[in-house]
Amino acid sequence: MDLCVIEGDGIGHEVVPAAVRVLKVVAPDVIIRKADAGWDTFLNVGNPLPYDTLHLAMECSAVLFGAAASPSYPVDGYYVPVVRLRRELKTYAMLRPTRYLPVPTARPGVDLLVVRESTEDLYIGHEHTEDDGRMGISEKVITREATENVAHKAFQLAIKNGRQKVTIVHKASVLLQTDGLFRRVALEVAQNYPEIKVEELLVDTAAYWMVKDPTRFDIILTPNLYGDILSDMAAAWGGGLGLAPSLSVGEGVALAEPVHGCAPDIAGKGVANPTASIMAIAMLLRHHWDRQEAANRVESAIRGALESGYHTADIHPDGAMSTDDFTEQVCKGL
Ligand code: NAI
Ligand code: MG
């Protein structure tokens, strides 16, 4: 079993090695194969996702990706590497769970899963300007195929994990041809799973409920952009971005990532919370490699460390540990 490990930029260099350290304890047989991507890679070789990296990712059973720094203005030749990677790997379903962890920043009772389509929507990167740069145009693409795939995945997960309800989140009231298609296809797919309750919400209303009462959600099924935003909102209820993992699955290679970015404000200080990346490894073990015992060990070691009061500065500044010291405690608990 091969895992392609891409640290990326910023705290990717801190949290990814922590997650690999944990993986090596619970699954020492997994072969680690390192590759580069991100902004620094772009500066070095002119491509944020070099061919060798993509090729290696496609050859491995799974990828662990940290985070990449992306400028908020166009740079010739740059594109967001992980968005391209998800598309190339055809990982159409991104699973982003938020479940209560024993930290003061988390809200008890929250247990929801955002299932986000992750290969299309506004994220395909088809953008251009017209009228001498005075008009920016972006294409939003929703296909029946990707929607069917991600919807089936959401309902199958509901059944497998004993969940009761899928909430389809869209803005079909305005975006009739794109979100409208997503909504129609998702509702069609839902008919194959009569045991699961289905509801739909417009994305703005879903955002309202995510703030007001996140316990009303079970599984949220939604296109790429809304899933990105709602899963960060949900992460706040799970205790913060430092704790939120994600796993993308599709036609073969799985992609484990933390939900957060490269956190330039704390990068290089050795204080980042590695929990999100470690929990992403647990998701990989559970959902992709079907190694339930190893996944349980990782999750309970994280829970145990947090219950004992070990934490990084994002949880609470008092008594905060470094990334390495916290990881050490997790490893002791394995
Ligand atoms: P961010 O997630 O990097 O940071 C948001 C806030 O959360 C910051 O205050 C940061 O210090 C904190 N934070 C995030 N992860 C943490 C951790 N593990 N431990 C402790 N604190 C943590 O989002 P932001 O600031 O909007 O973006 C920064 C850069 O990251 C941008 O260049 C953006 O493009 C990139 N980014 C990359 C992603 C990816 O490659 N998957 C995802 C999101 C953002
Ligand atoms: Mg995001």
Side-chain angles (χ1 to χ4, degrees):
M1 204 101 72
D2 290 18
L3 177 67
C4 173
V5 172
I6 303 169
E7 295 178 1
D9 298 304
I11 62 167
H13 296 299
E14 300 161 45
V15 295
V16 167
V20 169
R21 186 173 161 195
V22 169
L23 178 69
K24 280 183 172 165
V25 178
V26 296
D29 54 306
V30 173
I31 298 159
I32 307 294
R33 303 176 71 185
K34 290 190 180 175
D36 295 323
W39 178 251
D40 287 340
T41 303
F42 171 70
L43 295 180
N44 287 337
V45 302
N47 186 349
L49 185 67
Y51 176 77
D52 287 353
T53 298
L54 181 59
H55 187 72
L56 181 65
M58 289 174 140
E59 262 191 352
C60 287
S61 161
V63 179
L64 172 63
F65 188 97
S70 295
S72 295
Y73 48 86
V75 173
D76 241 6
Y78 188 82
Y79 51 88
V80 182
V82 75
V83 170
R84 178 75 59 89
L85 190 58
R86 293 170 191 150
R87 208 166 152 71
E88 293 286 345
L89 297 177
K90 298 190 171 66
T91 54
Y92 48 75
M94 189 190 285
L95 321 181
R96 296 193 151 184
T98 298
R99 182 177 290 162
Y100 174 76
L101 280 172
V103 291
T105 46
R107 174 164 164 160
V110 178
D111 181 8
L112 64 89
L113 174 69
V114 175
V115 180
R116 162 186 173 193
E117 199 293 322
S118 70
T119 60
E120 51 186 37
D121 197 354
L122 277 166
Y123 284 24
I124 55 168
H126 290 187
E127 286 196 304
H128 66 279
T129 52
E130 289 181 9
D131 198 11
D132 283 332
R134 282 183 296 193
M135 189 184 344
I137 297 172
S138 188
E139 275 176 42
K140 175 173 165 109
V141 172
I142 301 283
T143 65
R144 167 170 281 277
E145 189 188 358
T147 308
E148 277 176 356
N149 286 340
V150 70
H152 277 293
K153 189 74 201 171
F155 283 97
Q156 284 160 6
L157 278 166
I159 289 169
K160 198 170 168 197
N161 298 327
R163 290 184 178 268
Q164 315 292 319
K165 182 175 74 172
V166 171
T167 305
I168 302 165
V169 173
H170 56 75
K171 190 72 182 183
S173 54
V174 177
L175 303 167
L176 301 162
Q177 303 300 342
T178 49
D179 283 14
L181 177 63
F182 187 92
R183 171 184 177 272
R184 278 197 306 281
V185 172
L187 286 170
E188 245 174 68
V189 169
Q191 290 180 1
N192 297 291
Y193 306 89
E195 60 273 59
I196 304 296
K197 193 170 168 235
V198 183
E199 65 168 17
E200 55 178 310
L201 282 180
L202 296 173
V203 64
D204 39 356
T205 311
Y208 168 81
W209 281 111
M210 184 62 82
V211 171
K212 190 168 170 68
D213 181 13
T215 61
R216 92 188 281 293
F217 292 113
D218 196 349
I219 288 184
I220 291 174
L221 167 63
T222 191
N224 208 343
L225 175 64
Y226 311 141
D228 190 356
I229 297 167
L230 288 174
S231 58
D232 272 44
M233 288 176 76
W237 293 128
L241 280 171
L243 303 160
S246 137
L247 182 74
S248 303
V249 293
E251 292 188 359
V253 185
L255 173 60
E257 309 167 61
V259 166
H260 62 71
C262 62
D265 52 340
I266 57 166
K269 297 181 180 158
V271 298
N273 192 340
T275 303
S277 296
I278 296 171
M279 291 298 257
I281 285 292
M283 291 186 76
L284 184 59
L285 288 161
R286 186 178 303 291
H287 296 289
H288 189 58
W289 288 336
D290 198 22
R291 295 171 78 155
Q292 308 299 335
E293 200 210 318
N296 291 341
R297 278 178 73 193
V298 174
E299 285 175 2
S300 55
I302 285 283
R303 203 169 283 276
L306 295 171
E307 260 161 13
S308 305
Y310 300 121
H311 64 274
T312 44
D314 53 317
I315 304 300
H316 203 280
D318 290 347
M321 308 172 90
S322 68
T323 309
D324 286 349
D325 289 348
F326 180 78
T327 308
E328 175 75 33
Q329 289 304 329
V330 174
C331 288
K332 278 187 188 157
L334 286 168

